[in-house]
Amino acid sequence: MALIALGINHNTAPVDVREKVAFSADAQLDALLSLRNELGSQESVILSTCNRTEIYAQLDAQQQQALLAWLADFHNLEQQSLQPNSYVYQEQDAIRHLMRVASGLDSLVLGEPQILGQVKQAFVSAKDSGMVSSGFERLFQQTFAVAKKVRSDTDIGANAVSVAYASVQLAKHIFSSLDKIKVLLIGAGETIELVARHLHEQQVKSMLVANRTLARAQELADPIGARVITLAQIPEHLAEADIVISSTASQLPILGKGVVERALKNRRHQPMFLVDLAVPRDIEAEVAELDDAYLYTVDDLQQIVQQNLASRQSAAQKAEQMIDLAVQEFLQWHGAQASMDLVRDYRAQSEANKFKLQERALKQLADGKDPQDVIVELANKLTNSLIHAPTQAIKEAALSQDTNSLNLLQRALGLEKI
């Protein structure tokens, strides 16, 4: 049996392909049982996120095409449609891939932290389904340990690498604590939604979402407990905001210098942090001239992001070395387990053979056969059973002139020349 990792991710397939092979939480149990029943996989874990679907399974090494066919059949797809979008790793490469994934080294955003939790959840689901035993238990626990070490001992996730996250991190540096800060978000698109999520994670409790369409603003605001207003209502609420982050598709500025200046006067010149993530700009450049306004544009944040990406790339090199070490540690454990299994099987076979010959000898004694004859026969049969397999191995090695095997057999059988 071999460890096989089959996957389709953001590097190999567009979203319309990825969504076709995604597994819902409800479907995962059926899929895991199907892997056991149809392919004979005794251990399996399915990882399914918006950016990847991966199957880790203990199968015969020749079954990687069968695994791809199973994935296609499970989702009612043609295997040929998935072949060019998929990748397969085996054994050591599969172990390394799993550890890289959990550590955020294979993510769309290098070092993103959410993937570790997703891998853990996939493992727990498989374990609860009875699809994890000692091999996968050890593999995944070691994976979690190295991913945690990568995050704690490197800067892989220390710096912002998206403008949305960078804007929140910058605000955190300026205000230290954000839990009592009031934030105005202008727009309700994907970028502002991401900003809102990051702010919510930083315990921001007072957020106001301004958008041209109130219904869309309400969709964004409800999960984070924010209030909503229209764009026209911004001037009357602007003075309340300590932080303003804007990202709309407007062709004209949403905030002009005059509106911000009046808001600052109403705030008695308490500083206001403004971030303009829009192109074209939502906030007039002249706002930066105001004494108590601190305006950052998307270009300013892109410079921070590029610097941080370089820092993460450097951290990733260190992380790769840590993963290589963890892979070797697991392979050593796995090799030790294989040798223990071999010893156990050899002992079990010897015990079974001993019991069989012993029972025969006792029966012969009970039937009145001469004890001396019974003992001689027992000794001969026991000796023959013990030397048969090694003798065959020696003959085969000699015929093929395999000196390495001959030397190994010589040492194993205690025949080393003194």
Side-chain angles (χ1 to χ4, degrees):
M1 302 293 279
L3 171 62
I4 297 178
L6 168 70
I8 292 174
N9 69 12
H10 57 279
N11 290 319
T12 65
V15 66
D16 62 318
V17 175
R18 299 201 305 271
E19 63 188 7
K20 289 176 183 175
V21 295
F23 290 87
S24 67
D26 293 336
Q28 283 199 27
L29 174 58
D30 291 338
L32 289 165
L33 295 177
S34 176
L35 280 168
R36 171 180 285 173
N37 296 333
E38 296 186 28
L39 297 186
S41 177
Q42 296 304 304
E43 293 191 272
S44 302
V45 171
I46 295 175
L47 173 64
S48 187
T49 73
C50 58
N51 285 326
R52 71 179 64 242
T53 289
E54 293 184 339
I55 302 163
Y56 297 88
Q58 283 286 2
L59 295 167
D60 290 335
Q62 298 78 18
Q63 284 185 285
Q64 61 184 50
Q65 283 299 321
L67 184 57
L68 182 62
W70 172 87
L71 178 63
D73 289 343
F74 192 89
H75 292 287
N76 297 313
L77 300 170
E78 293 292 330
Q79 182 179 342
Q80 292 80 359
S81 68
L82 299 183
Q83 187 83 49
N85 301 114
S86 64
Y87 49 87
V88 179
Y89 299 104
Q90 287 196 19
E91 295 294 359
Q92 183 170 336
D93 292 335
I95 297 166
R96 177 176 286 103
H97 178 72
L98 172 61
M99 291 182 177
R100 293 186 78 254
V101 168
S103 300
L105 298 184
D106 194 58
S107 296
L108 179 62
V109 177
L110 180 64
E112 61 96 0
Q114 289 83 7
I115 187 63
L116 177 56
Q118 292 166 334
V119 175
K120 285 183 176 179
Q121 184 56 55
F123 170 74
V124 169
S125 297
K127 189 172 182 178
D128 290 345
S129 303
M131 292 301 294
V132 170
S133 56
S134 60
F136 269 28
E137 178 75 38
R138 178 69 179 233
L139 171 60
F140 278 82
Q141 292 301 336
Q142 189 145 353
T143 294
F144 302 149
V146 73
K148 183 178 179 181
K149 186 174 176 62
V150 165
R151 191 147 301 275
S152 62
D153 292 3
T154 75
D155 290 331
I156 192 71
N159 303 303
V161 289
S162 73
V163 290
Y165 189 50
S167 63
V168 175
Q169 289 298 100
L170 192 55
K172 191 176 178 182
H173 283 303
I174 291 172
F175 291 96
S176 181
S177 175
L178 300 181
D179 59 338
K180 294 182 174 61
I181 296 298
K182 295 182 178 180
V183 179
L184 170 63
L185 301 175
I186 303 175
E190 186 176 326
T191 299
I192 288 296
E193 186 174 7
L194 192 55
V195 169
R197 195 181 313 149
H198 290 318
L199 288 167
H200 188 60
E201 290 169 356
Q202 295 297 326
Q203 309 302 315
V204 174
K205 297 178 178 61
S206 178
M207 280 189 271
L208 191 62
V209 181
N211 193 50
R212 184 169 284 106
T213 306
L214 281 180
R216 170 59 190 143
Q218 198 67 57
E219 288 178 17
L220 188 153
D222 284 345
I224 58 173
R227 296 177 295 134
V228 301
I229 59 173
T230 64
L231 296 181
Q233 293 175 290
I234 289 176
E236 61 187 273
H237 292 277
L238 186 58
E240 304 169 15
D242 302 300
I243 298 173
V244 179
I245 302 178
S246 185
S247 179
T248 75
S250 175
Q251 297 303 302
L252 297 172
I254 302 294
L255 290 182
K257 180 180 179 182
V259 174
V260 176
E261 189 171 22
R262 286 192 293 274
L264 288 171
K265 287 180 180 178
N266 290 336
R267 287 173 59 81
R268 300 181 185 277
H269 295 282
Q270 292 182 36
M272 183 183 291
F273 173 58
L274 302 101
V275 181
D276 189 352
L277 300 179
V279 179
R281 296 183 182 186
D282 281 342
I283 304 173
E284 286 184 349
E286 289 76 13
V287 168
E289 299 170 2
L290 299 173
D291 288 340
D292 300 304
Y294 298 89
L295 175 62
Y296 289 81
T297 68
V298 68
D299 287 342
D300 298 324
L301 294 177
Q302 284 288 10
Q303 292 178 13
I304 296 173
V305 166
Q306 290 304 316
Q307 292 169 358
N308 291 346
L309 272 173
S311 175
R312 285 198 178 193
Q313 290 288 356
S314 177
Q317 295 177 9
K318 182 179 178 182
E320 295 282 8
Q321 295 172 357
M322 295 165 67
I323 287 172
D324 285 343
L325 180 60
V327 169
Q328 292 307 314
E329 288 175 353
F330 178 79
L331 289 173
Q332 289 172 5
W333 173 85
H334 191 264
Q337 289 298 114
S339 67
M340 290 173 63
D341 291 344
L342 183 61
V343 169
R344 185 187 65 243
D345 293 344
Y346 181 60
R347 285 184 177 276
Q349 176 183 285
S350 300
E351 285 291 327
N353 196 41
K354 180 195 79 171
F355 181 77
K356 176 183 174 183
L357 294 174
Q358 178 181 285
E359 287 296 300
R360 174 182 170 85
L362 290 173
K363 185 176 185 302
Q364 289 175 331
L365 290 172
D367 291 342
K369 190 171 183 179
D370 186 338
Q372 184 172 341
D373 293 339
V374 171
I375 292 173
V376 170
E377 181 181 340
L378 174 63
N380 288 335
K381 287 184 177 295
L382 189 58
T383 300
N384 288 334
S385 69
L386 291 173
I387 68 173
H388 176 71
T391 301
Q392 289 297 111
I394 291 171
K395 288 179 178 179
E396 291 173 7
L399 284 172
S400 61
Q401 297 184 344
D402 185 352
T403 55
N404 289 333
S405 293
L406 282 171
N407 289 334
L408 179 62
L409 285 163
Q410 187 177 11
R411 290 195 302 272
L413 295 171
L415 300 176
E416 289 183 286
K417 294 179 181 179
I418 300 175

